[in-house]
Amino acid sequence: MSPRLLVFSWIASILIVEIYGDTHDCTADNPCGGQNITCASSQSCTVSCNGVNACRNTNIECASGQDCTVNCIDGDSACRYTRIRGRHAKELWLTGCQDSQYLCYSMFIYC
């Protein structure tokens, strides 16, 4: 990879993080299931769960003073048993939780 392309890629990745914040894409069957997701402390955070068991039994820790969005988009049990800790978040948004079987069944939301 040429030095110019490498510098461009590095700058582009910084700009994407600054514009979109901390993004966790859990798209597929069970990509983030049972994991701990901790949002970066200095930026807004979005966790997208899309697929069967995508975020099942996952711990999501929202950053203090930052916006936190959890999207439970589609997939049976995608956010089942998920724990969202957003007590100190600036705002906590939960979207989805419809259409699929047990999508958000038995979630724990601390706000």
Side-chain angles (χ1 to χ4, degrees), residues 20-32:
Y20 297 109
D22 187 17
T23 302
H24 301 270
D25 184 15
C26 300
T27 301
D29 292 345
N30 200 32
C32 299

Side-chain angles (χ1 to χ4, degrees), residues 63-108:
S64 180
Q66 301 295 326
D67 292 338
C68 187
T69 302
V70 179
N71 300 313
C72 296
I73 301 166
D74 193 21
D76 290 348
S77 299
C79 292
R80 189 176 194 172
Y81 307 127
T82 297
R83 285 161 303 286
I84 303 171
R85 290 177 174 80
R87 281 194 177 127
H88 303 290
K90 181 179 175 183
E91 288 190 17
L92 174 60
W93 293 87
L94 175 63
T95 64
C97 294
Q98 56 197 21
D99 300 333
S100 296
Q101 186 173 4
Y102 301 112
L103 185 59
C104 295
Y105 182 80
S106 292
M107 286 182 80
F108 295 92

Side-chain angles (χ1 to χ4, degrees), residues 32-49:
C32 299
Q35 294 183 17
N36 294 315
I37 296 175
T38 302
C39 296
S41 63
S42 61
Q43 51 195 291
S44 63
C45 182
T46 301
V47 179
S48 295
C49 305

